[in-house]
Amino acid sequence: VEAFLKVYVEGMDPSPADHTWMGSAMAAHEAGGEPALRNSCKVTIMNAHNLRDADFWGTSEPYCMVQVKGKGERWSRWKTPNATNWKDPKWNHEMRVACKPGDALEFIVKDDDKGKMDDVLGKVTVPADKVKDGFVGELELENTGKKAGEPKAVLKVSVQGAEFDIVDRTVVAIQETKVVIEEEVKHVCCGIR
């Protein structure tokens, strides 16, 4: 018995916003720059204040990591370089963070401990609505390990430019593909009327 399956694949054409992004991405590429990721936002981790010194010997070497909340995979994490000022580090580190609509971003400040697990100096989450709308300001860190009455540890960040459009024609074809199977093939092959 031979059976044949005839399939049609239909994709959507790029929107005007997609054409605009593609033009700017091509211009950035031609100029030797990196085009912005789609489904991403620009994050700047500026500084922190009132961190604790987590090292028994010497001083902490703090860095800040940002990740999509709820995704522990390494591919969803970005981090700053280590700072030398342990109490009030200044990073001013800008990055593009891949995220989807509805994603919250979690910021975790850690002490880089060579040869052992890094100490958490504090963490805070920027909710999904602020990721979408943008946010610039200081956030009070939680889980800082500080004692009651000590000054609160804060982290200053900027989250802006959330881009949540699908651009690449391949992605469009994969994500928004409509497969139409002829009725007679369904009937012959699968017994569906």
Side-chain angles (χ1 to χ4, degrees), residues 82-119:
N82 294 351
T84 53
N85 182 340
W86 64 269
K87 187 173 183 177
D88 299 309
K90 291 176 178 44
W91 296 287
N92 293 315
H93 188 76
E94 186 179 296
M95 60 194 90
R96 294 291 308 180
V97 175
C99 57
K100 300 181 307 232
D103 283 344
L105 296 179
E106 182 178 40
F107 292 83
I108 305 169
V109 180
K110 291 186 170 186
D111 170 29
D112 186 16
D113 287 329
K114 306 283 187 238
K116 60 180 187 166
M117 188 177 289
D118 293 350
D119 297 311

Side-chain angles (χ1 to χ4, degrees), residues 1-180:
V1 173
E2 285 186 29
F4 295 94
L5 181 64
K6 190 173 183 179
V7 177
Y8 295 98
V9 178
E10 297 175 2
M12 294 179 62
D13 289 330
S15 71
D18 294 335
H19 285 293
T20 301
W21 179 85
M22 284 188 267
S24 65
M26 290 171 64
H29 177 71
E30 289 170 7
E34 294 267 334
L37 294 171
R38 293 298 270 192
N39 288 342
S40 69
C41 60
K42 181 171 106 176
V43 172
T44 305
I45 300 173
M46 297 174 199
N47 55 55
H49 298 287
N50 301 320
L51 297 180
R52 69 181 170 90
D53 185 5
D55 284 349
F56 186 70
W57 298 105
T59 57
S60 295
E61 298 82 29
Y63 66 91
C64 186
M65 182 173 74
V66 60
Q67 63 187 15
V68 175
K69 177 107 175 144
K71 299 215 186 298
E73 298 88 5
R74 289 185 187 270
W75 60 265
S76 73
R77 292 184 191 148
W78 294 262
K79 75 185 248 348
T80 67
N82 294 351
T84 53
N85 182 340
W86 64 269
K87 187 173 183 177
D88 299 309
K90 291 176 178 44
W91 296 287
N92 293 315
H93 188 76
E94 186 179 296
M95 60 194 90
R96 294 291 308 180
V97 175
C99 57
K100 300 181 307 232
D103 283 344
L105 296 179
E106 182 178 40
F107 292 83
I108 305 169
V109 180
K110 291 186 170 186
D111 170 29
D112 186 16
D113 287 329
K114 306 283 187 238
K116 60 180 187 166
M117 188 177 289
D118 293 350
D119 297 311
V120 174
L121 301 176
K123 58 173 71 174
V124 67
T125 299
V126 174
D129 62 324
K130 288 188 178 180
V131 171
K132 180 177 177 265
D133 297 337
F135 172 81
V136 178
E138 289 188 343
L139 301 162
E140 186 177 324
L141 292 168
E142 301 168 352
N143 304 324
T144 61
K146 295 185 85 167
K147 296 179 175 98
E150 291 184 317
K152 302 286 184 188
V154 295
L155 176 69
K156 186 172 183 181
V157 300
S158 167
V159 178
Q160 58 186 231
E163 294 284 343
F164 293 137
D165 294 327
I166 298 170
V167 175
D168 190 296
R169 289 184 69 74
T170 306
V171 174
V172 170
I174 290 169
Q175 291 185 352
E176 299 192 19
T177 300
K178 181 177 179 185
V179 177
V180 179

